[in-house]
Amino acid sequence: EAGVAQSPRYKIIEKRQSVAFWCNPISGHATLYWYQQILGQGPKLLIQFQNNGVVDDSQLPKDRFSAERLKGVDSTLKIQPAKLEDSAVYLCASSLLGQANNEQFFGPGTRLTVL
Amino acid sequence: AQSVTQLGSHVSVSEGALVLLRCNYSSSVPPYLFWYVQYPNQGLQLLLKYTTGATLVKGINGFEAEFKKSETSFHLTKPSAHMSDAAEYFCAVSEVSGTYKYIFGTGTRLKVLA
């Protein structure tokens, strides 16, 4: 079974530039998550999709971050414009149904450096 | 709001020694509990989880954890550390209603000394 795929793995940009990350979840997984992991901290949920609908985006900085999951499969996360404090690893995860006891499967992450 | 506390951001043990990583949560309703491991430049991998039933949970790679409701704890243990256990370990709780989102602790980096 293929895992969660993410690209790019690394990205370096200057502040005020825009950047986009891509995620392909495990086939058949209805729920997709984007997390932000700042160095020295645990992952923080940014947005959760159930199929192509948003379930929770309460911690997404909507003035600069946006995400979409067209057709309920792949997803993109965009930052525009980027700030220095956006430097982090962005993790994508998926789970079968999004229920409390469902395991979340994580991709390798995209490491973003904002200069 | 729920929170997760992992005591000790860095833990060092000798190879063959007991591994004990601590996790406490705050919740009026016992949540579902998870331990994940993260190796360098990789995503998180599930070690074990507690949902209901037996409070002692066994996971992969010889790890186990015990849910203690009275202590609001879910500490991770392994009887004998191996060099390959060096990684970062995250405790997480999941809400048992609503969106079931995970709240992660800040992580504990385990170093295994030869």
Side-chain angles (χ1 to χ4, degrees):
Chain A
E1 172 179 89
V4 177
Q6 290 188 247
S7 68
R9 291 294 312 276
Y10 305 91
K11 190 75 177 178
I12 300 174
I13 62 172
E14 299 200 346
K15 60 183 179 182
R16 291 188 289 273
Q17 286 187 323
S18 62
V19 64
F21 313 127
W22 174 82
C23 172
N24 184 263
I26 292 173
S27 178
H29 280 195
T31 310
L32 184 146
Y33 313 80
W34 282 103
Y35 289 88
Q36 180 191 58
Q37 185 178 17
I38 293 173
L39 188 64
Q41 299 181 21
K44 181 185 81 173
L45 180 69
L46 291 176
I47 189 166
Q48 177 180 340
F49 292 94
Q50 183 75 15
N51 297 308
N52 59 352
V54 175
V55 173
D56 187 336
D57 63 358
S58 58
Q59 298 192 92
L60 186 74
K62 298 180 187 64
D63 58 334
R64 298 183 300 106
F65 285 64
S66 64
E68 60 182 9
R69 190 183 184 197
L70 299 176
K71 300 181 181 178
V73 182
D74 294 5
S75 177
T76 55
L77 177 69
K78 296 179 182 178
I79 308 175
Q80 182 180 9
K83 292 185 175 182
L84 296 177
E85 59 261 35
D86 298 332
S87 293
V89 175
Y90 291 84
L91 295 167
C92 180
S94 69
S95 68
L96 191 59
L97 293 173
Q99 296 177 346
N101 58 352
N102 281 174
E103 177 183 353
Q104 293 186 22
F105 294 83
F106 286 80
T110 296
R111 183 176 299 276
L112 174 67
T113 303
V114 182
L115 303 176
Chain B
Q2 290 203 44
S3 66
V4 177
T5 302
Q6 290 185 241
L7 282 178
S9 58
H10 292 81
V11 170
S12 294
V13 299
S14 297
E15 192 173 19
L18 171 72
V19 176
L20 171 60
L21 304 182
R22 300 177 186 274
C23 173
N24 289 86
Y25 66 91
S26 68
S27 174
S28 57
V29 176
Y32 294 159
L33 297 151
F34 305 81
W35 275 100
Y36 279 83
V37 60
Q38 186 176 33
Y39 297 101
N41 298 315
Q42 294 186 29
L44 281 71
Q45 179 185 5
L46 181 68
L47 276 177
L48 49 79
K49 66 179 181 182
Y50 170 79
T51 55
T52 58
T55 56
L56 182 62
V57 180
K58 295 186 185 298
I60 62 171
N61 302 338
F63 284 94
E64 61 182 37
E66 186 170 11
F67 168 60
K68 292 188 177 180
K69 182 179 176 181
S70 61
E71 299 178 7
T72 60
S73 69
F74 191 56
H75 301 331
L76 182 70
T77 60
K78 181 174 181 178
S80 177
H82 191 273
M83 298 298 287
S84 61
D85 295 327
E88 187 144 26
Y89 293 80
F90 291 94
C91 181
V93 301
S94 171
E95 299 173 342
V96 297
S97 62
T99 62
Y100 310 122
K101 70 181 182 185
Y102 281 16
I103 305 296
F104 282 90
T106 52
T108 298
R109 185 168 297 278
L110 176 66
K111 187 175 181 179
V112 181
L113 307 172

